[in-house]
Amino acid sequence: MQLTFLGTCAGTPSLQRNVTAIALTLSNRGDCWLFDCGEGTQHQFMRSALKPGKLEKIFITHLHGDHIFGLPGLLTSRSMGGVATPLTLYGPKGLKAFVETTLSLSASFVTFPLEIVEIEAGEVYRDGGITVTAWPLSHVVECYGYRIEEQDKPGVLDAEKLQADGIPRGAWFQRLKQGETVVLEDGRRVNGGDYLGPSIPGKSLAIFGDTAPTPVACKLAANVDVMVHETTLEAAMAEKANGRGHSTTVQAATAAKQAGAKRLIATHFSSRYSFADCERLLAECQAVFPATELARDFAVFEV
């Protein structure tokens, strides 16, 4: 999986950074999922290597403008560009009314199948390979963080052991790789599980919406490979940040440490901070959680 940050600013854009949008590319199938869609996201999309036709799902954390004002433009441009593949939106109650009202009042339309799913806390999507769950956060409006988990993959088939046991190559190898039992031409029953190495753990990541410090963070991001968390303000401004439902650098880093995350990507910085200032914010995070990285617009991270 691969994360591409299309916007890393909080509240309002700056000359250097756009408001929130994060794309997740699924390496096993090439599909793209978008998490939040702030104003100007379609422009950021065009400036990146991402392809609109690959966009399959959009997960909205909450209905503040810097997280959803880009939706109407993205949806209509997708139609005008001739993209016909289905798209599903997930987000809090009110998302359907927002999309339908803005499209209706602007006499806009979509030409592709569009489904809007208004979510509650719990599992919101599962396809056999990936599960997405939503967790309620501590913000001034209903807001969620999303945990994305890949299913563990079967271990590697031990070709040498198969050869030593006199099991010939054949179409049944694919079934053995899945741990199934097959019957060979000579009547022998072979259990694929006996020839598989240890299973390969699937990747996991947690993408937080806006939030003040919350105990939910430990469960949402428990032992994830990558945790994406807002760091709206510096440590010295904790009272202001928390009063508006946001977190500071130190609070985000502490949440990552307590959750046992392997990596933290800090994002959603107030527009008051320049690139140079963000390096100082990164240092505050790393003092608590060394495995912290700084998101910038168009930065790409492998999961």
Side-chain angles (χ1 to χ4, degrees):
M1 293 190 286
Q2 194 176 69
L3 284 170
T4 302
F5 285 79
L6 299 177
T8 57
C9 220
T12 60
S14 70
L15 292 176
Q16 297 175 320
R17 291 176 285 117
N18 199 47
V19 286
T20 299
I22 306 168
L24 174 65
T25 304
L26 306 176
S27 55
N28 60 329
R29 54 196 186 191
D31 292 333
C32 175
W33 294 356
L34 190 63
F35 290 81
D36 285 332
C37 188
E39 180 185 359
T41 292
Q42 64 172 319
H43 292 275
Q44 301 292 85
F45 219 92
M46 289 188 288
R47 295 186 182 105
S48 73
L50 302 169
K51 301 183 184 303
K54 291 291 187 179
L55 182 58
E56 181 188 59
K57 300 182 184 299
I58 301 177
F59 296 87
I60 300 297
T61 61
H62 65 295
L63 302 186
H64 274 158
D66 58 319
H67 294 256
I68 65 167
F69 280 172
L71 270 176
L74 179 65
L75 295 176
T76 53
S77 292
R78 194 173 187 264
S79 292
M80 295 175 73
V83 178
T85 53
L87 180 66
T88 305
L89 308 184
Y90 301 84
K93 185 177 181 180
L95 178 61
K96 184 177 178 68
F98 170 77
V99 172
E100 292 181 347
T101 301
T102 53
L103 294 181
S104 175
L105 292 177
S106 62
S108 301
F109 57 88
V110 295
T111 57
F112 51 85
L114 175 65
E115 181 182 9
I116 302 175
V117 180
E118 294 189 332
I119 66 169
E120 296 179 346
E123 184 178 300
V124 298
Y125 175 76
R126 178 189 294 268
D127 69 0
I130 294 182
T131 301
V132 181
T133 51
W135 295 75
L137 300 177
S138 177
H139 197 41
V140 294
V141 297
E142 183 179 6
C143 185
Y144 295 94
Y146 293 100
R147 182 182 176 100
I148 304 97
E149 296 178 283
E150 281 187 324
Q151 187 176 28
D152 290 349
K153 300 175 180 63
V156 177
L157 200 60
D158 190 335
E160 291 185 1
K161 185 177 179 182
L162 287 166
Q163 184 177 12
D165 289 349
I167 300 172
R169 289 185 173 275
W172 47 79
F173 265 35
Q174 290 300 320
R175 294 179 58 193
L176 292 177
K177 287 180 181 179
Q178 300 304 314
E180 297 180 18
T181 297
V182 302
V183 179
L184 303 180
E185 294 175 352
D186 60 10
R188 283 184 294 165
R189 294 178 62 85
V190 180
N191 179 8
D194 295 337
Y195 295 90
L196 290 176
S199 62
I200 302 169
K203 299 296 184 181
S204 60
L205 65 154
I207 298 178
F208 282 67
D210 293 1
T211 187
T214 171
V216 169
C218 282
K219 295 180 179 179
L220 167 56
N223 303 310
V224 292
D225 293 292
V226 174
M227 174 179 174
V228 179
H229 199 290
E230 67 128 294
T231 51
T232 303
L233 294 171
E234 59 197 278
M237 302 181 72
E239 184 176 354
K240 182 174 184 178
N242 298 165
R244 297 180 179 179
H246 292 294
S247 296
T248 67
T249 51
V250 169
Q251 290 169 341
T254 300
K257 183 176 181 179
Q258 292 175 342
K262 296 180 178 65
R263 295 164 63 194
L264 168 65
I265 302 177
T267 187
H268 197 270
F269 310 103
S270 168
S271 58
R272 74 180 63 204
Y273 299 118
S274 66
F275 280 151
D277 293 327
C278 286
E279 290 299 328
R280 174 168 56 84
L281 301 185
L282 175 62
E284 289 188 351
C285 290
Q286 290 178 332
V288 176
F289 189 77
T292 303
E293 298 165 84
L294 187 74
R296 291 189 177 185
D297 287 22
F298 306 112
V300 178
F301 298 85
E302 295 291 336
V303 179

